[in-house]
Amino acid sequence: MNIAILNYKIGNLASVQNALAYASKELKHTTITIESNPYNLMRYDKIILPGVGAFGDAMEHLRISGMQEAIMEFAKSGKYMLGICLGMQLLFEQSSEFGEHRGLGLLRGIIEPFDRAKLGALKVPHVGWNKCFLTEEGKKNTLFLGLEEEFYLYFVHSFCNRDSQNVLAQCEYGYTFSAIVGRDNIFGIQPHPEKSHKVGLQLLKNFVSL
């Protein structure tokens, strides 16, 4: 199993690589590579799209680096891919972060800021541990093997998705938003599995095992 973590100058690649290596250490013949060459993507069995920062900047980096086109081709191949934090948000059609920006469009829905009027005393960004709840679709998905229907993950974000048709797990922060999404071979996790201890490592291990 050959897995690529995409390097497009956005995100903490080392922490994702270390967590993924630890999560997959019991799985034989698994190699993890930080990949910056878009022409190499089809050589891999799975790819991971990490990311921190602003949506528009990230999409520009993907475009300039050639990764955007390569990711779209990879997605068409049916091979599994996973977006983490900002990487999950990039999977959607659009974001309103610092203007209107088009995303990869691999999942239907938009990324929008938390509605402060509905948060009460809750602060933005949403930082810390919060409980996630599997949807009915999530309960059927092998990404969650070995996990309970409710579990805690670590979040750091100011923007979220609320209207996706592909929600596998939800979270509450003033109101409900999408914590984990997926359709066919495309998955996205809003919180940071690499910072979420046993549950996050189990999610990464399950992704490798898909």
Side-chain angles (χ1 to χ4, degrees), residues 18 27 50 58 66 84 99 125 135 157 159 164 187 194:
N18 291 337
L27 304 175
I84 295 176
T135 64
H157 63 123
F159 288 73
S164 173
F187 291 94
E194 76 278 10

Side-chain angles (χ1 to χ4, degrees), residues 76-190:
K76 291 177 184 177
S77 74
K79 296 179 181 181
Y80 287 105
M81 64 176 293
L82 172 68
I84 295 176
C85 195
L86 176 60
M88 168 192 151
Q89 296 181 5
L90 298 176
L91 300 176
F92 287 93
E93 296 170 294
Q94 182 177 312
S95 172
S96 58
E97 183 177 8
F98 304 119
E100 299 295 328
H101 304 281
R102 293 184 64 85
L104 294 170
L106 295 171
L107 296 175
R108 295 190 63 180
I110 63 173
I111 301 299
E112 57 189 0
F114 278 108
D115 187 342
R116 294 174 185 267
K118 297 180 180 179
L119 295 184
L122 297 174
K123 296 181 179 180
V124 176
H126 171 211
V127 178
W129 295 90
N130 207 340
K131 186 184 290 186
C132 300
F133 308 82
L134 290 182
T135 64
E136 290 304 313
E137 286 301 310
K139 293 174 186 178
K140 305 172 188 175
N141 200 293
T142 53
L143 184 67
F144 304 101
L145 283 176
L147 298 180
E148 301 293 333
E149 293 183 5
E150 300 179 4
F151 47 83
Y152 282 86
L153 293 171
Y154 189 85
F155 291 80
V156 182
H157 63 123
S158 300
F159 288 73
C160 64
N161 167 263
R162 296 180 58 196
D163 62 353
S164 173
Q165 301 175 19
N166 307 114
V167 182
L168 301 178
Q170 295 177 314
C171 183
E172 294 283 342
Y173 193 69
Y175 50 86
T176 302
F177 68 91
S178 306
I180 303 176
V181 294
R183 179 179 62 83
D184 300 327
N185 58 317
I186 311 297
F187 291 94
I189 300 179
Q190 178 63 68

Side-chain angles (χ1 to χ4, degrees), residues 34-48:
I34 293 178
E35 182 59 73
S36 57
N37 188 340
Y39 297 104
N40 290 339
L41 259 59
M42 292 305 297
R43 301 177 182 178
Y44 294 95
D45 301 297
K46 295 182 174 73
I47 63 172
I48 292 180

Side-chain angles (χ1 to χ4, degrees), residues 57-70:
D57 290 342
M59 284 302 302
E60 183 67 6
H61 278 278
L62 287 178
R63 186 187 66 80
I64 292 174
S65 67
M67 280 293 184
Q68 179 175 353
E69 184 177 350

